[in-house]
Amino acid sequence: MRLCVLLCAVVGLCAAPGSVSGADRSCGDLRQFYTGKGFTLEGVPLSEISGEQLRMCPQGPTCCTITMEGNLASLSAQETEGLIREAGRSLQATFNNLHRSFDTYFTELHGQSERLLQEVLSPLGPLYSQNARLFAELYADLRQYYRGSALHLDENLSEFWSQLLERTFKASWPSSSSVNLSEDYLECVAKQQETLRPFGDIPRDMKTKVIRSFVTARSFVQGLLVSSDVIKKVSQVSLAEECTKALMKLVYCPHCRGLASVQPCSNYCSNVMKGCLANQADLNPVWQELIDTMIQVASSFSTEPSLDVVLSSIPIRIYEAVHYLQQNMDTFTAKVFQTCGSPGEPGTGTPNAHEQKKKKSGSLTAFEYKPSPTAGLRLEIQVSDLSSKLRDMRQYWVQLPVALCSKLAAESNSQDNCWNGMTKARYLPGVMGDGLANQINNPEVDLDITKPIMKIRQQIMELKIMSNRLKDALEGNDVDFQDASEDISGSGSGMCLSGQCARSRPGLYAYAPETKPVGGAPTPRIGVCDLLLLLPVTVLLLQR
């Protein structure tokens, strides 16, 4: 009987609130912090409670209820997503500035070349003044192509030279001749541009250089725009539920435990962020490939013949081509007569008339153009600035966790007195690698590495497509790729074949690891009072 009375007294002591482990500690600081985050004090305890109901924070004396835990978890996810979007906007702004800078430079080069056209071609007289629209359309086509229009630059340039041949031939025809050149005959003359090469090698040489310059310039601008768009879309991807739990434990659980001044251990923060941003880190290989290719394209702008030289020489090359034809007009005319026939009766358009015309045009001399001495320097500065800024962005996706932790984690000299997810002590687990596949043993974020985020996988494909376009541009090829229609599920480093990915998690903690129950139920913790409560049952069983 005395034993029963003693046991009842012990049970009463265990049931009395606040009698063990300082549970009467005030929650004043937490209450002030909680309201400062925009929440009300409804349901917020005045002093510490047991915390056995918590599902994310370590169980034990706490100032947080399960409702508060949920509110702070949502807040931690929102704040982290805000930091990710902020970092993304900063990088987007850099890409936009690069685009604006290069676009301004290239547009000015194009405009200067077009203005130079009138100065260079004015000596051609009526051939230029009466056909100014033809030259204006050439520059309009080049401008539209650069802006992304679906023009076939090769065909447009060939058409320009054919029309120029037709009009130069017509302008050279003796005005005294009684024979008018029909449209069909002039069309036949225009078709001889490729076979008879009336302008010499100039059209072919100019076409190769112009196409290379405009293809690389257009692809480079598209690369800047695609990169900016990928950053925007990936930065808006919501964090997973597993990440939200890990962020709550990292950021706000110390406040619940009365350790608000203790910052997370840096390696602990790294593992949380690497887990949360595992899918984003899988962008890294294709992102680096794109950046490296864009740097190669930027460097190609200053490779001889440089971008500024090609654009500024377009009027000069056209002038030289017309001058070449006029110097050899009799030879060309004779070949045209052989191919297209005579436009009128035999003897019409005597050689003397052609000779007079040739002599009239023979005063044309090769135009000497001297580029501005600062033009080459400006291009060099432009290429250097583009390459330097692109190189700085190369590691963005794997540096993002580091950047976020720099705002949250403790300094390197405080690693023995930091929040390790359970208490104030050193964090012992090692830091995980980058990418989804490397999170298989992440002790902080429980991810299913067989289920990557499809929105991010689609952006990986966009980066691959853009890299291929840029590589083709370096070869002078303008190839339009179809949008990602392949099976994206197999791309990236975060995939496992046939679901054969092990899911073991190491016991790396120096402290007792938190056992995660199925369905998020509270972890059972057996204390001294719990054992004492079992004693009456044990005694009764023994007496029987």
Side-chain angles (χ1 to χ4, degrees):
M1 185 67 180
R2 289 179 180 177
L3 179 60
C4 291
V5 172
L6 178 61
L7 290 174
C8 289
V10 172
V11 170
L13 287 172
C14 290
S19 60
V20 180
S21 67
D24 56 350
R25 184 182 302 166
S26 171
C27 292
D29 290 342
L30 188 280
R31 288 167 64 86
Q32 183 177 357
F33 169 79
Y34 192 67
T35 55
K37 291 293 183 180
F39 301 108
T40 66
L41 287 176
E42 182 180 356
V44 179
L46 294 171
S47 58
E48 285 187 334
I49 56 178
S50 66
E52 293 180 355
Q53 79 286 359
L54 298 181
R55 298 186 178 185
M56 300 176 225
C57 295
Q59 295 179 352
T62 181
C63 284
C64 290
T65 64
I66 191 170
T67 301
M68 295 171 64
E69 187 183 46
N71 290 339
L72 290 173
S74 298
L75 179 63
S76 66
Q78 292 170 13
E79 290 176 337
T80 304
E81 288 172 348
L83 291 174
I84 294 171
R85 285 193 293 269
E86 181 184 346
R89 283 193 294 268
S90 176
L91 193 62
Q92 271 187 274
T94 303
F95 271 107
N96 292 339
N97 289 336
L98 288 179
H99 174 264
R100 190 180 303 111
S101 173
F102 179 78
D103 183 66
T104 299
Y105 170 73
F106 189 84
T107 303
E108 287 179 1
L109 280 181
H110 185 277
Q112 289 168 4
S113 177
E114 190 170 12
R115 287 190 294 273
L116 181 64
L117 185 78
Q118 182 176 2
E119 177 185 347
V120 172
L121 299 188
S122 291
L124 297 179
L127 178 60
Y128 170 70
S129 59
Q130 294 175 9
N131 297 287
R133 184 175 177 180
L134 173 64
F135 301 107
E137 287 176 351
L138 170 64
Y139 276 87
D141 287 344
L142 293 175
R143 186 183 300 106
Q144 289 176 23
Y145 177 83
Y146 168 72
R147 293 295 181 201
S149 295
L151 298 176
H152 294 284
L153 204 51
D154 186 284
E155 294 179 6
N156 282 61
L157 288 171
S158 295
E159 178 64 20
F160 165 76
W161 286 110
S162 294
Q163 289 190 42
L164 183 59
L165 172 60
E166 176 186 322
R167 298 180 190 197
T168 306
F169 185 84
K170 183 177 181 180
S172 70
W173 193 254
S175 57
S176 59
S177 173
S178 60
V179 177
N180 291 324
L181 299 173
S182 66
E183 292 295 326
D184 290 340
Y185 193 83
L186 289 174
E187 184 178 345
C188 179
V189 172
K191 290 179 179 178
Q192 309 313 309
Q193 202 281 120
E194 292 289 342
T195 55
L196 298 182
R197 296 168 59 191
F199 298 115
D201 291 328
I202 294 173
R204 186 177 303 174
D205 180 67
M206 176 180 147
K207 183 190 294 186
T208 300
K209 293 174 181 176
V210 168
I211 288 178
R212 173 183 169 273
S213 296
F214 274 81
V215 165
T216 51
R218 180 167 92 154
S219 297
F220 185 76
V221 167
Q222 288 178 343
L224 294 174
L225 296 175
V226 166
S227 300
S228 179
D229 189 56
V230 167
I231 294 164
K232 179 181 179 180
K233 289 178 179 176
V234 174
S235 297
Q236 291 174 345
V237 172
S238 300
L239 296 173
E241 182 181 354
E242 296 80 2
C243 176
T244 298
K245 294 177 182 178
L247 286 171
M248 170 61 195
K249 190 175 178 182
L250 174 78
V251 178
Y252 289 129
C253 285
H255 291 268
C256 295
R257 296 296 296 270
L259 299 172
S261 62
V262 181
Q263 291 182 300
C265 301
S266 59
N267 286 355
Y268 171 40
C269 181
S270 293
N271 278 342
V272 171
M273 292 303 177
K274 281 176 180 281
C276 288
L277 299 172
N279 283 274
Q280 287 84 339
D282 279 342
L283 287 158
N284 186 57
V286 290
W287 177 261
Q288 289 191 8
E289 182 183 8
L290 175 63
I291 295 296
D292 290 343
T293 310
M294 289 179 70
I295 292 174
Q296 290 180 42
V297 172
S299 299
S300 75
F301 295 147
S302 56
T303 302
E304 293 298 331
S306 61
L307 186 65
D308 57 334
V309 170
V310 171
L311 266 70
S312 61
S313 66
I314 291 176
I316 293 95
R317 300 300 280 161
I318 294 174
Y319 178 92
E320 291 173 347
V322 173
H323 181 64
Y324 178 90
L325 174 59
Q326 290 181 340
Q327 290 293 99
N328 299 278
M329 184 59 76
D330 277 349
T331 303
F332 175 70
T333 301
K335 291 180 179 179
V336 167
F337 286 172
Q338 291 176 2
T339 305
C340 301
S342 176
E345 296 179 0
T348 303
T350 62
N352 289 336
H354 281 284
E355 185 65 27
Q356 291 173 0
K357 190 69 176 180
K358 189 181 85 169
K359 287 180 179 179
K360 181 180 179 181
S361 303
S363 59
L364 294 177
T365 58
F367 187 89
E368 294 183 4
Y369 169 70
K370 296 181 180 179
S372 168
T374 61
L377 179 60
R378 186 181 176 192
L379 176 61
E380 185 179 336
I381 294 173
Q382 184 77 25
V383 170
S384 176
D385 185 58
L386 289 169
S387 301
S388 175
K389 287 186 168 63
L390 286 170
R391 205 170 283 114
D392 291 341
M393 307 176 196
R394 196 171 179 273
Q395 300 285 335
Y396 175 77
W397 296 109
V398 292
Q399 288 296 321
L400 186 55
V402 178
L404 295 177
C405 285
S406 68
K407 303 175 183 293
L408 299 172
E411 299 291 337
S412 57
N413 57 0
S414 305
Q415 295 306 303
D416 287 324
N417 298 299
C418 51
W419 172 252
N420 63 12
M422 296 293 290
T423 187
K424 181 181 177 181
R426 176 174 285 273
Y427 181 77
L428 296 183
V431 177
M432 299 293 103
D434 299 310
L436 189 58
N438 285 318
Q439 307 312 308
I440 188 170
N441 291 324
N442 192 320
E444 308 307 333
V445 187
D446 189 10
L447 292 176
D448 184 351
I449 65 174
T450 66
K451 296 180 179 179
I453 299 174
M454 283 298 106
K455 186 174 183 179
I456 293 180
R457 298 291 141 171
Q458 290 167 359
Q459 298 311 304
I460 288 175
M461 287 303 301
E462 290 295 325
L463 294 176
K464 287 182 178 179
I465 291 171
M466 194 64 243
S467 291
N468 288 334
R469 284 180 174 170
L470 287 164
K471 289 174 183 176
D472 279 305
L474 284 171
E475 300 296 325
N477 302 323
D478 186 22
V479 181
D480 288 328
F481 288 79
Q482 293 181 348
D483 291 335
S485 57
E486 306 173 26
D487 179 14
I488 330 172
S489 60
S491 63
S493 62
M495 299 305 299
C496 299
L497 297 177
S498 304
Q500 298 174 354
C501 293
R503 297 188 56 78
S504 59
R505 297 169 67 85
L508 300 175
Y509 290 95
Y511 41 80
E514 178 185 0
T515 303
K516 295 189 177 181
V518 177
T523 305
R525 299 173 69 91
I526 301 177
V528 176
C529 289
D530 298 318
L531 292 173
L532 290 174
L533 289 170
L534 294 173
L535 280 177
V537 178
T538 306
V539 171
L540 291 174
L541 290 173
L542 291 174
Q543 287 177 349
R544 292 181 62 183

